[in-house]
Amino acid sequence: MNQQYLDFEKPIADLETKIGELREFSTDSVDFSGDIKKLEKKAEKLKTEIYSKLSRWQRTQLARHANRPYTFDYIEHIFTDFFEVHGDRNFRDDPALVCGFARIDGNPCCVIGHQKGRNTKEKVHRNFGMPNPEGYRKALRVMQMADQFGLPIFTFVDTPGAFPGIGAEERGQAEAIARNLREMAMFKVPIIVTVTGEGGSGGALAIAVGNRVLMMEYSVYAVISPEGCAAILWSDGTKGPQAAEALKLTAQDVDSLGTVIDDVVPEPLGGAHQDHQVTAATLKKYLLKHLAELEAMSAEELIEQRYQRFRAMSEIEEPQQD
């Protein structure tokens, strides 16, 4: 996988280019190992400095990084025996949502997640990770099967939002999302949600009604994308960085609210795209920890806990009477 650098990562890119050149020219007679170690230490220090001071817009860019692990990457490193299910039995299959059954530590489970593409052909095929209503109906069909057979459900959220096209609206996009919210609230099995990249609006929430909601360290979660927010507020989508600050959409911001998410999963220095395997191994530990806690609960307790967690997200202030 070709390494891609964001604008604010340019100083790191320059250093790593130099390290690569020294490695290439290093031979038995000309040893640059000492210089390479010095530059590696310098690069590590620079990374620590840069990633400790990221703005909300820069974190949004990391959440969208083209090399960030997607659902299939997490499936490869966390689960075994994955069997994908296609189609909603009504219109067609939706490649933007991956749905199926697998095993985690040998135990059967259900896995659902958004899937973006890395090159132009994949992006078009996956519709940039924006599902149509048939995608959400497919997800609901698979989750209903998991509920029927008592299998825990793992969902991976990474979408800028549900697809807003005319065809999607004609086929009932809003109804499909609303039905998923209602049905997920009543499932009798544990549901663990992980926001792995972008958690955008109802397109994300349609597979995010869970007993536990986790966010990766550099993921974002908001009611709208920064560009969409900027277009509405200032009629200028280029003011995304300003909107990102106002939205407070980072994992750290959302965690500070106290009731929206349960854990922030740490990523390797520089983001999840630096090492898919390490990222997935860390996430798996969190998934298994929360699954163990939820499996100790009865079906009625799971439904009640899920209901109460979403009820607790709102606050009502009443004016004092004179």
Side-chain angles (χ1 to χ4, degrees):
M1 188 184 300
N2 293 329
Q3 179 64 285
Q4 297 184 33
Y5 294 96
L6 301 169
D7 291 342
F8 62 86
E9 295 177 307
K10 190 176 183 306
I12 300 171
D14 292 340
L15 268 179
E16 293 190 343
T17 299
K18 290 178 183 177
I19 292 170
E21 289 173 352
L22 285 178
R23 283 207 181 101
E24 187 178 343
F25 291 116
S26 187
T27 63
D28 292 336
S29 56
V30 183
D31 186 12
F32 291 113
S33 58
D35 298 299
I36 291 171
K37 285 181 181 178
K38 286 180 183 178
L39 286 177
E40 285 177 337
K41 285 183 180 179
K42 188 176 180 181
E44 197 77 6
K45 184 180 178 182
L46 186 60
K47 279 184 181 180
T48 303
E49 289 175 0
I50 289 175
Y51 294 114
S52 65
K53 301 174 184 176
L54 293 179
S55 67
R56 291 184 174 94
W57 176 245
Q58 289 169 333
R59 286 177 176 269
T60 301
Q61 290 178 291
L62 272 181
R64 296 170 172 173
H65 199 288
N67 289 342
R68 208 170 163 79
Y70 298 144
T71 295
F72 273 128
D73 298 305
Y74 286 111
I75 288 173
E76 178 185 354
H77 294 298
I78 295 176
F79 303 93
T80 58
D81 303 319
F82 178 68
F83 180 85
E84 188 173 0
V85 176
H86 296 277
D88 66 341
R89 291 182 174 173
N90 185 35
F91 182 66
R92 70 175 179 93
D93 187 40
D94 186 353
L97 263 178
V98 174
C99 307
F101 298 94
R103 293 181 184 273
I104 183 166
D105 270 11
N107 299 310
C109 62
C110 169
V111 182
I112 292 169
H114 298 101
Q115 181 70 23
K116 296 178 177 178
R118 290 208 163 86
N119 56 44
T120 303
K121 185 177 180 180
E122 286 180 1
K123 287 175 182 178
V124 172
H125 176 63
R126 301 286 178 183
N127 200 31
F128 299 85
M130 295 185 289
N132 281 279
E134 51 270 19
Y136 293 117
R137 292 177 178 130
K138 173 176 68 171
L140 179 59
R141 177 166 80 91
V142 173
M143 287 189 285
Q144 287 171 335
M145 292 170 64
D147 188 53
Q148 179 182 356
F149 292 104
L151 305 180
I153 299 169
F154 296 96
T155 70
F156 297 91
V157 175
D158 187 11
T159 181
F163 186 58
I166 293 175
E169 299 298 333
E170 289 175 341
R171 296 192 299 279
Q173 184 73 285
E175 186 276 340
I177 292 173
R179 183 181 293 272
N180 275 28
L181 303 184
R182 185 188 71 181
E183 296 297 319
M184 287 185 77
M186 297 304 295
F187 286 146
K188 302 183 291 293
V189 297
I191 304 175
I192 301 177
V193 179
T194 306
V195 182
T196 59
E198 290 183 274
S201 191
L205 194 58
I207 62 167
V209 180
N211 297 97
R212 295 283 191 275
V213 180
L214 318 179
M215 285 185 72
M216 301 303 295
E217 183 179 358
Y218 294 115
S219 64
V220 294
Y221 201 14
V223 297
I224 192 171
S225 70
E227 295 90 339
C229 177
I232 293 171
L233 292 181
W234 303 295
S235 300
D236 185 358
T238 63
K239 291 186 177 180
Q242 187 176 339
E245 291 299 319
L247 284 167
K248 294 182 171 59
L249 70 179
T250 70
Q252 294 70 26
D253 291 323
V254 179
D255 190 38
S256 70
L257 298 174
T259 57
V260 180
I261 64 173
D262 299 280
D263 258 324
V264 176
V265 182
E267 299 183 21
L269 182 62
H273 60 281
Q274 300 287 346
D275 195 323
H276 289 191
Q277 194 165 348
V278 168
T279 302
T282 303
L283 176 57
K284 183 177 181 179
K285 292 177 183 177
Y286 279 78
L287 296 179
L288 291 174
K289 180 190 79 170
H290 286 287
L291 179 61
E293 293 172 1
L294 294 173
E295 285 182 330
M297 300 168 67
S298 66
E300 292 75 17
E301 288 172 333
L302 287 170
I303 294 171
E304 181 64 19
Q305 187 270 340
R306 203 179 300 133
Y307 172 78
Q308 291 298 338
R309 74 165 291 123
F310 282 90
R311 288 287 292 176
M313 289 181 191
S314 61
E315 294 183 6
I316 299 174
E317 291 185 7
E318 295 185 0
Q320 292 182 348
Q321 306 245 341
D322 293 335

